[in-house]
Amino acid sequence: MTSDARRPADDPDPWAPRTAEPAPTRPRRRGLFVAALAIFAVGVVFTVLAAATPLVLGRDAPTVLYVGAMVFTPVGFLLGLLYAILGSRPPRV
């Protein structure tokens, strides 16, 4: 054992374990959040287009706009909710 490996003389308890350095944190995965945000945004765009089409064209909006709004918006919302639930769990040790 070298003098560099020894603890300082003013250490009150030489047998106590050294304070552990904080574990390196992994960067949070943002893929689910980005996917949820993109899908929800597509649903909002479909909703706005479905609402604006009768004003612009003077006739009903195509069914595709309504179906897209009904599919993309709730799916994006549920993915965002899933991201929030998974992000609130404590990390595994």
Side-chain angles (χ1 to χ4, degrees):
M1 189 167 173
T2 66
S3 62
D4 292 335
R6 290 185 184 171
R7 293 182 180 222
D10 59 346
D11 189 12
D13 187 5
W15 298 106
R18 293 185 180 185
T19 57
E21 294 180 12
T25 58
R26 292 187 345 211
R28 291 183 63 172
R29 297 178 190 247
R30 301 273 183 205
L32 184 60
F33 177 72
V34 171
L37 192 63
I39 292 172
F40 186 77
V42 168
V44 170
V45 168
F46 272 109
T47 304
V48 169
L49 288 175
T53 299
L55 299 173
V56 174
L57 298 179
R59 60 183 178 94
D60 288 340
T63 306
V64 173
L65 293 178
Y66 292 114
V67 172
M70 288 188 296
V71 170
F72 286 108
T73 307
V75 169
F77 178 78
L78 290 175
L79 286 176
L81 191 62
L82 180 66
Y83 172 77
I85 290 170
L86 291 177
S88 66
R89 290 179 28 203
R92 293 183 193 169
V93 179

